[in-house]
Amino acid sequence: MDIKKVHIVIPIVMAGIIGYLGTKIMDIKKVHIVIPIVMAGIIGYFGTEIMDIKKVHILIPIVMAGIIGYLGIPHISRPSSQPVRQVDLDETSLVISRMSYPQPFVDKPQRTDVLLMSPWLAPIMWEGTFNRDILNAQYRQKKFVVGVATFAVKKYVRFIEGFLGSANKFFLSGHRVNFYLFTDHPEKVPSMKLAPEKSLFIIPVQNYSRWQDISMNRMDIISNRIRTHWHYEVDYLYSMDIDVQMFEHIGVEIIDTLVGTISSWQYTKPRDSNSYERRPESRAAIPSGEGDFYYAASFYGGSVSEVYKLTTACFKGVTEDRANGIEAKWHEESHLNKYLLYHKPTRLLSPEYYWDEELPRPQIIRVKRLSSVRKDLEEVRS
């Protein structure tokens, strides 16, 4: 046996094996055992013969097959950097109790006067298109917590009582809700008794000289609070204006990954007539000929992780616009519309979920669930 050639072959074979399997996958303890086995195999295979390159070509796959069999196929069938996804096959599925409700028929749609599904198959919530009893029976078993972020800065503190009073009655009744109220006047927050499943958290915040700055900085405040607190506290998060009141139930039909509300002002307008930011120098710009629906910044939300992505991206656009000396047409709402155009909502809320009191109510709006409060905008923003 040519000992010099054996000394050369052994590290070459082992280097190839380790390189192929990856040092992170191989158990170092097993490598220590495998090395002498490989050496013994090579010595036994060659004996005292001079090494032949043809025999080495035969030997390598034999050694590799032995290593694979020893270490186990799973070690090389999956990259080490890819996490193992474990599914609990014994997890109990949701079971709702027996209920009595009208039978659905595929040839008898519940509404034919409105669009019920977006082109990307996101459902649009309208009165008469869902059964809240069935939804509640399902969602109560999930035991989720919903957060609501709202801002009452400067003169907007006058709307706190109306908002909380109506939300306590109509918003996700029977489900756990945390109201996060940001205000520069904590001492002016009225003392209110909420339902047992609802909690109020008052968070001091600075005010700004311009109402536009208050509006645009909400995205940054929400993003930071998600990162530091809310991703530990809630499963879903919604941002709502404080100067609104609820008149009908808003329930679990709003729960989804990413949710936008179609504006009551522009739900029938063609895209080129909507209030999108069209100036290309703004980060909120939507090119002419593009646009789905126009979404209201007064009510949007979704899972905590998705709202974090949304608010972070929107505030990044606001910051870049400021650096370039430009302000989007409708402030953070313009950035919201840009984001939701390219990150499609998984669920849409019809204009029922934010109807403006200044508008006449058409027949398709069967219920007015949430509405803005009549006010003198110039006075309240001063």
Side-chain angles (χ1 to χ4, degrees):
M1 187 173 86
D2 188 340
I3 193 66
K4 294 181 180 179
K5 291 188 177 182
V6 173
H7 287 161
I8 294 171
V9 168
I10 290 175
I12 292 174
V13 173
M14 289 308 302
I17 292 170
I18 294 172
Y20 182 76
L21 295 179
T23 55
K24 291 184 180 179
I25 298 175
M26 290 186 67
D27 186 338
I28 194 65
K29 294 179 180 178
K30 292 185 177 180
V31 173
H32 288 160
I33 298 172
V34 168
I35 289 176
I37 295 175
V38 173
M39 292 177 63
I42 290 174
I43 294 171
Y45 180 80
F46 287 112
T48 58
E49 298 178 3
I50 302 292
M51 285 183 64
D52 186 334
I53 192 66
K54 294 181 180 179
K55 291 186 177 181
V56 172
H57 289 163
I58 298 171
L59 177 64
I60 289 175
I62 295 173
V63 173
M64 287 302 301
I67 296 292
I68 292 170
Y70 182 79
L71 296 179
I73 291 176
H75 286 282
I76 63 170
S77 64
R78 180 181 64 248
S80 61
S81 60
Q82 182 176 340
V84 178
R85 182 178 179 182
Q86 295 183 349
V87 178
D88 185 0
L89 300 179
D90 298 320
E91 183 180 1
T92 303
S93 60
L94 295 179
V95 179
I96 63 174
S97 58
R98 296 179 61 183
M99 303 175 67
S100 177
Y101 53 86
Q103 179 185 351
F105 294 94
V106 296
D107 60 342
K108 296 178 181 178
Q110 296 164 310
R111 295 280 298 263
T112 58
D113 56 337
V114 291
L115 183 68
L116 301 180
M117 191 77 68
S118 75
W120 56 93
L121 299 183
I124 305 175
M125 297 294 101
W126 294 90
E127 174 67 12
T129 62
F130 56 88
N131 186 309
R132 184 168 284 113
D133 293 334
I134 298 175
L135 293 176
N136 279 331
Q138 292 176 312
Y139 278 87
R140 282 199 179 100
Q141 297 180 58
K142 296 182 179 181
K143 298 180 180 179
F144 60 85
V145 182
V146 173
V148 174
T150 190
F151 291 74
V153 179
K154 300 173 77 170
K155 293 182 180 180
Y156 278 79
V157 294
R158 69 180 65 168
F159 302 113
I160 294 174
E161 187 169 2
F163 173 83
L164 287 177
S166 63
N168 184 51
K169 181 178 180 181
F170 293 115
F171 189 78
L172 287 169
S173 179
H175 299 276
R176 289 185 60 194
V177 179
N178 290 347
F179 293 105
Y180 299 105
L181 174 62
F182 292 89
T183 181
D184 59 338
H185 291 292
E187 75 283 355
K188 294 184 179 181
V189 177
S191 178
M192 301 184 64
K193 184 177 181 180
L194 300 178
E197 69 276 8
K198 292 181 168 70
S199 302
L200 173 63
F201 300 88
I202 301 170
I203 306 169
V205 67
Q206 74 174 91
N207 63 34
Y208 296 85
S209 57
R210 300 190 319 139
W211 70 267
Q212 295 93 334
D213 293 325
I214 297 171
S215 176
M216 288 190 291
N217 279 286
R218 290 191 300 185
M219 293 284 192
D220 184 43
I221 294 170
I222 290 173
S223 173
N224 287 330
R225 199 74 185 183
I226 290 173
R227 188 176 63 252
T228 59
H229 292 77
W230 291 342
H231 75 283
Y232 300 112
E233 299 173 4
V234 298
D235 302 296
Y236 297 92
L237 181 68
Y238 291 82
S239 173
M240 301 178 71
D241 281 353
I242 192 70
D243 55 337
V244 301
Q245 288 194 25
M246 302 174 202
F247 300 96
E248 293 287 345
H249 285 286
I250 296 176
V252 293
E253 75 275 4
I254 70 169
I255 301 298
D256 216 318
T257 305
L258 185 59
V259 181
T261 301
I262 300 171
S263 169
S264 57
W265 278 96
Q266 305 182 61
Y267 67 100
T268 60
K269 290 184 178 180
R271 56 165 60 118
D272 287 332
S273 299
N274 277 336
S275 296
Y276 298 129
E277 174 58 74
R278 297 294 189 185
R279 294 171 296 173
E281 57 267 29
S282 172
R283 296 297 296 170
I286 294 176
S288 180
E290 294 187 32
D292 299 316
F293 306 96
Y294 189 86
Y295 302 103
S298 304
F299 189 8
Y300 66 88
S303 69
V304 172
S305 61
E306 287 301 319
V307 176
Y308 177 75
K309 296 172 188 174
L310 182 156
T311 52
T312 302
C314 288
F315 189 70
K316 182 173 183 285
V318 169
T319 303
E320 291 177 5
D321 274 0
R322 283 175 178 166
N324 294 324
I326 188 171
E327 194 170 274
K329 184 176 182 179
W330 287 108
H331 317 111
E332 92 279 20
E333 188 169 86
S334 296
H335 291 275
L336 173 71
N337 274 273
K338 170 73 173 289
Y339 186 89
L340 293 181
L341 174 61
Y342 301 118
H343 304 80
K344 304 293 189 191
T346 56
R347 183 173 301 248
L348 305 177
L349 305 182
S350 72
E352 296 172 359
Y353 290 84
Y354 187 77
W355 190 256
D356 197 297
E357 277 293 331
E358 296 182 21
L359 295 171
R361 203 167 112 191
Q363 284 189 324
I364 63 170
I365 305 298
R366 295 184 182 179
V367 297
K368 181 178 64 176
R369 301 188 186 281
L370 181 150
S371 180
S372 58
V373 177
R374 288 185 181 274
K375 55 192 171 294
D376 182 342
L377 277 176
E378 186 175 346
E379 183 273 330
V380 80
R381 289 174 175 173
S382 63

